[in-house]
Amino acid sequence: MTRKNRQWYPNVMMHITTRGNRKNNLFRDEEDYKVYLSTLEYVLEKTSDQFEIVSYVLMSNHVHLQVQTKEMHIKCFMGRLNNLYAKYFNNKYNYVGHLFQERYGSEIISDDKYVLEASRYIHLNPVRANMVKKPEEYKWSSYRMYISIVPEKTIETLRILSYFKSENRRLYYKEFVESAISPKG
């Protein structure tokens, strides 16, 4: 049976998800997270600036990426990223077979509201999974770069931050994201 082609066109922003096979962990230790991020950087470099990472979060058994494409199809990026990371993981843990549950999920982000909502959703994933109380406490997310706790690396924040007033835009973004955290009552 053939698979349905993904909806894609040039210069589109996408919300990408990928999950471990049978919901198993993709990351077992700190080295795994670091290798995934360095693999992400490597693939960005090798695809000649055809993709920008807008936001990301690496959860223990899945990944969310917000990606701006240019002229190259997203499958070129994700295929290479998932393949390289799976080879690393399978080699490290002496596994054979599929690391990822299925092909990655992709959704086109079609309007400005969804651009912001996808970023907020991604950055709040660890909070909603009860891994941390505040998104800046989670190390494997781009959120800390958005609010200037750590220097920017791998991501392009300008697209998201341009929606906020130029003075204090990082603070306004922080308030926007954290306004969706429901208080425990």
Side-chain angles (χ1 to χ4, degrees):
M1 178 176 7
T2 60
R3 292 193 271 194
K4 183 179 172 185
N5 285 337
R6 294 185 181 279
Q7 185 180 9
W8 180 86
Y9 48 90
N11 301 308
V12 68
M13 187 176 291
M14 304 188 85
H15 181 184
I16 305 293
T17 55
T18 189
R19 181 176 298 283
N21 201 11
R22 294 179 201 82
K23 298 184 181 180
N24 288 330
N25 285 349
L26 295 171
F27 310 103
R28 293 187 170 182
D29 60 24
E30 189 163 316
E31 180 187 29
D32 295 345
Y33 289 98
K34 288 178 179 177
V35 167
Y36 187 91
L37 290 174
S38 65
T39 304
L40 182 68
E41 291 172 22
Y42 173 80
V43 174
L44 284 169
E45 180 184 309
K46 290 300 178 188
T47 53
S48 307
D49 298 321
Q50 286 294 305
F51 304 94
E52 290 177 353
I53 304 300
V54 177
S55 61
Y56 70 83
V57 67
L58 312 181
M59 303 294 282
S60 57
N61 71 350
H62 68 283
V63 173
H64 289 272
L65 302 171
Q66 189 173 4
V67 181
Q68 176 67 49
T69 69
K70 293 185 183 170
E71 298 298 320
M72 192 179 286
H73 197 292
I74 190 68
K75 69 182 179 183
C76 300
F77 179 79
M78 288 306 299
R80 195 171 205 177
L81 175 61
N82 285 354
N83 183 289
L84 289 171
Y85 185 73
K87 284 180 181 177
Y88 153 80
F89 189 94
N90 286 348
N91 184 53
K92 178 179 179 178
Y93 297 106
N94 199 26
Y95 284 170
V96 294
H98 297 284
L99 174 61
F100 297 101
Q101 182 172 311
E102 55 194 359
R103 16 181 229 179
Y104 61 91
S106 63
E107 189 172 342
I108 291 176
I109 298 174
S110 56
D111 61 49
D112 290 341
K113 182 178 179 187
Y114 188 18
V115 168
L116 288 172
E117 287 301 324
S119 179
R120 175 161 57 186
Y121 175 83
I122 288 168
H123 287 142
L124 286 179
N125 227 259
V127 174
R128 291 183 174 143
N130 294 314
M131 297 170 82
V132 294
K133 297 231 183 268
K134 295 182 176 185
E136 64 263 23
E137 295 170 356
Y138 193 71
K139 187 175 180 179
W140 308 110
S141 158
S142 56
Y143 185 70
R144 293 158 35 115
M145 292 177 233
Y146 269 89
I147 63 170
S148 295
I149 290 177
V150 295
E152 280 187 38
K153 184 177 181 184
T154 312
I155 65 165
E156 176 52 59
T157 61
L158 186 58
R159 173 75 187 265
I160 297 293
L161 294 177
S162 69
Y163 289 99
F164 301 92
K165 293 180 185 176
S166 60
E167 287 185 35
N168 300 317
R169 59 178 41 154
R170 291 180 189 277
L171 176 62
Y172 291 133
Y173 179 74
K174 182 180 192 309
E175 290 172 357
F176 166 75
V177 169
E178 294 182 15
S179 70
I181 300 173
S182 54
K184 305 256 184 206

